[in-house]
Amino acid sequence: QVHLAESGGGLVQAGGSLRLSCAASGRTVGEYNMAWFRQAPGKERELVAAIFWTGTSTYYADSVKGRFTISRDGAENTVALQMDTLKPEDTAVYYCHAGGDYRNDGYLPAYGIWGQGTQVTVST
């Protein structure tokens, strides 16, 4: 069965960095478009970053541009999110998604699979 395994979450102080990783395991068909979402308590889940399956195109939410970088992490259907200059407002559960529709103005998780999420907490 295909599933996504996430790692790298944790607690950091404002201004620090974390690197999240998401890997698909099990049977997969070709390469997937992949993305990171986040959801803070009491708020809706929001798209943070996405990457086209070839790795040649990326999307970032305005709130993280210049601070976060999404990339293929040296294997098929594996993606990383490098988070620098973290702010308290970045605190959320971060979810990986694979197999959605990549667009030049976003990413639609209408199909595909979700990871279980990993907690990122940025202290003041």
Side-chain angles (χ1 to χ4, degrees):
Q1 181 177 357
V2 176
H3 71 278
L4 300 179
E6 298 158 317
S7 62
L11 172 64
V12 297
Q13 291 185 308
S17 297
L18 285 172
R19 186 177 180 87
L20 307 183
S21 183
C22 174
S25 61
R27 292 189 177 185
T28 59
V29 180
E31 296 190 17
Y32 295 154
N33 300 322
M34 300 185 75
W36 289 95
F37 291 75
R38 67 186 181 187
Q39 187 168 22
K43 299 185 66 176
E44 295 183 353
R45 190 171 299 185
E46 64 175 345
L47 174 65
V48 176
I51 187 165
F52 189 58
W53 71 271
T54 64
T56 59
S57 184
T58 57
Y59 168 87
Y60 297 97
D62 288 342
S63 60
V64 306
K65 286 181 179 177
R67 300 188 299 118
F68 291 11
T69 304
I70 188 170
S71 63
R72 298 283 179 181
D73 206 22
E76 289 187 2
N77 303 323
T78 301
V79 69
L81 185 68
Q82 177 67 41
M83 304 184 294
D84 297 319
T85 319
L86 283 161
K87 303 176 180 179
E89 52 262 44
D90 296 319
T91 295
V93 177
Y94 283 70
Y95 298 90
C96 182
H97 186 272
D101 296 327
Y102 183 91
R103 305 171 65 91
N104 59 15
D105 60 347
Y107 176 98
L108 298 177
Y111 300 97
I113 56 173
W114 292 95
Q116 294 299 305
T118 184
Q119 178 70 47
V120 171
T121 303
V122 184
S123 63
T124 58

